[in-house]
Amino acid sequence: MEKTTIGIIGGGRIGRMHAGTIYTGMQDVTIKYVSDIYPQAAQQWGPMYGVQNVVSDAEIVFNDPEVQAVLICTSTDTHADYIIRSAECGKDIYCEKPIDLSVEKIERALAAVEKAGVRLQIGFNRRFDRNFRRAYEAIQAGEIGKPLMIRITNRDATPPPEAYIKVSGGMLLDMSIHDFDLCRYFAGSEAESVYCTGACNLVPYIGANGDVDTAVTVINFKNGCTAVVDNRRQTGYGMECRVEIMGTEGNLVTGNEVENTLTICEDNGLKQDGLACDFFARFKNSLPVILGTFFDSIRNNTPTVTTGRDGLETMRIGFAATSCSAARTPCANTCTPSRAAA
Ligand SMILES: NC(=O)c1ccc[n+]([C@@H]2O[C@H](COP(=O)([O-])OP(=O)(O)OC[C@H]3O[C@@H](n4cnc5c(N)ncnc54)[C@H](O)[C@@H]3O)[C@@H](O)[C@H]2O)c1
């Protein structure tokens, strides 16, 4: 069996999740390195996931000819620089969402990828969630006709720590971006205009950093479909993430994931266990699938399935939503028109 040798840049929450997913399910991938500027945590968990080396200098990974691909799992504000460096060194790239925090930096990173002729996949893993994949397949098969309206609810159980908030780019670019990507995916079109209103209602350190923890975004797509996305950083009772899509011929709904389907009938009514406790639990089913598509694209010499263009177009929605929310005006903030036709 031909093995793919990789390095993971960034050994925090998602870097560790990816290492675990690969170690437990992908015998044909070798994690030669995890690189992190603060390597202590990865030094602890790395050996449990078959990581051969934990280093603090990413150049060691880039300069190793045996490394075919890198997973960029560092803080968002570092992604574009690492994409450019990976491309210069001829490595295929899986980069976590969002792609970076400025259009100019994203465009420079995508140009470097194109020039080097390497692969780039963006970590929009929610497309590969079993429920959302089925919803997409239903749309493709014409089961609900043409999508007219998409409603996505995405609310985290607990907020990330303040250090994460500071480098995240804000909730709309960091968290809602998953939903904006799903909207494009389901609508099969690019955004024409975006309206967003947000506030900090729940978590004081989020507001202190100029960010919102509650927001509603409305996206009008070029093909006439409208999407409504509501987000919240903290429910306190588990993760809510569900989708409803109204089409010309029907309607589809996917609900929240629960820990189990147990229901206890008591004198006081029905009792159930909770919602999936966080997004890692909720979407762990999607990680082997999206990572598998990346490694398949390397082995089979095929294009990646979530591309740099997906990353850029989705960020355009995120930037428009962010500035609209900050302006707190009732007028629509028009997205920069996409280069691609609807
Ligand atoms: N697809 C998803 O569902 C998903 C889930 C969580 C996070 N993410 C994304 O993954 C990225 C990381 O998120 P996280 O939750 O793992 O954050 P985290 O803070 O837990 O981990 C980030 C790691 O990167 C390291 N780091 C920071 N700057 C670095 C640099 N210049 N060079 C090397 N290492 C550096 C930090 O020391 C830390 O260990 C973010 O972009 C986030 O948006 C995606």
Side-chain angles (χ1 to χ4, degrees):
M1 178 172 50
E2 195 191 329
K3 285 206 163 201
T4 304
T5 300
I6 67 158
I8 298 177
I9 317 286
R13 294 183 305 170
I14 196 75
R16 181 180 175 157
M17 281 293 290
H18 287 331
T21 302
I22 291 165
Y23 181 65
T24 51
M26 300 179 176
Q27 276 68 42
D28 45 3
V29 178
T30 301
I31 309 174
K32 187 165 183 185
Y33 299 99
V34 169
S35 157
D36 197 298
I37 43 167
Y38 300 111
Q40 293 81 0
Q43 278 160 353
Q44 295 296 314
W45 61 255
M48 290 189 286
Y49 297 137
V51 174
Q52 293 179 348
N53 306 280
V54 177
V55 297
S56 56
D57 182 2
E59 281 303 310
I60 295 171
V61 183
F62 294 129
N63 289 319
D64 185 337
E66 208 190 348
V67 172
Q68 292 164 270
V70 293
L71 312 189
I72 299 174
C73 301
T74 47
S75 326
T76 298
D77 56 341
T78 66
H79 290 181
D81 290 339
Y82 277 134
I83 289 175
I84 291 168
R85 189 71 191 116
S86 309
E88 284 169 355
C89 296
K91 314 293 185 197
D92 288 323
I93 305 158
Y94 178 99
C95 181
E96 266 310 332
K97 50 50 64 180
I99 200 166
D100 212 285
L101 297 175
S102 90
V103 167
E104 188 263 325
K105 278 182 88 178
I106 295 172
E107 285 178 338
R108 257 195 297 130
L110 299 193
V113 166
E114 198 173 332
K115 184 172 168 210
V118 294
R119 281 177 192 79
L120 172 63
Q121 177 150 346
I122 306 300
F124 287 129
N125 56 302
R126 294 191 186 187
R127 290 190 186 197
F128 302 90
D129 168 72
R130 62 194 183 109
N131 302 311
F132 301 161
R133 251 187 310 153
R134 177 67 186 96
Y136 179 75
E137 284 163 12
I139 294 168
Q140 295 305 301
E143 290 178 60
I144 61 162
K146 178 179 178 289
L148 297 178
M149 185 166 293
I150 300 165
R151 277 199 64 95
I152 299 184
T153 289
N154 176 20
R155 305 173 191 152
D156 273 346
T158 51
E162 185 168 9
Y164 180 95
I165 295 287
K166 283 180 190 295
V167 289
S168 68
M171 184 181 79
L172 294 157
L173 296 178
D174 177 58
M175 176 182 169
S176 316
I177 207 74
H178 277 297
D179 310 311
F180 302 157
D181 175 64
L182 281 177
C183 290
R184 293 177 55 245
Y185 185 53
F186 291 139
S189 182
E190 297 297 353
E192 190 168 68
S193 67
V194 177
Y195 173 68
C196 178
T197 180
C200 179
N201 292 317
L202 301 162
V203 188
Y205 66 74
I206 289 183
N209 283 282
D211 196 2
V212 298
D213 57 24
T214 320
V216 176
T217 307
V218 179
I219 308 164
N220 293 305
F221 285 93
K222 290 182 179 174
N223 67 358
C225 184
T226 301
V228 182
V229 175
D230 83 83
N231 296 110
R232 174 176 170 170
R233 278 285 197 193
Q234 174 177 269
T235 64
Y237 50 76
M239 180 165 191
E240 291 185 280
C241 196
R242 47 185 188 267
V243 169
E244 178 176 9
I245 303 173
M246 288 155 265
T248 50
E249 314 296 326
N251 192 21
L252 69 80
V253 180
T254 78
N256 293 318
E257 286 278 13
V258 288
E259 279 178 20
N260 54 57
T261 57
L262 175 84
T263 302
I264 296 174
C265 308
E266 302 176 314
D267 288 352
N268 296 333
L270 302 181
K271 193 170 86 182
Q272 293 183 315
D273 285 347
L275 298 168
C277 56
D278 62 22
F279 58 81
F280 286 121
R282 169 68 180 80
F283 288 107
K284 68 173 184 275
N285 80 85
S286 66
L287 295 180
V289 188
I290 187 170
L291 288 174
T293 65
F294 177 61
F295 296 125
D296 283 349
S297 75
I298 295 174
R299 274 182 223 111
N300 302 331
N301 196 20
T302 51
T304 57
V305 290
T306 46
T307 62
R309 180 177 160 258
D310 289 318
L312 176 60
E313 296 302 337
T314 303
M315 283 303 273
R316 288 187 198 282
I317 300 174
F319 291 129
T322 302
S323 59
C324 190
S325 164
R328 299 189 69 80
T329 59
C331 58
N333 186 350
T334 304
C335 271
T336 308
S338 154
R339 280 184 296 266

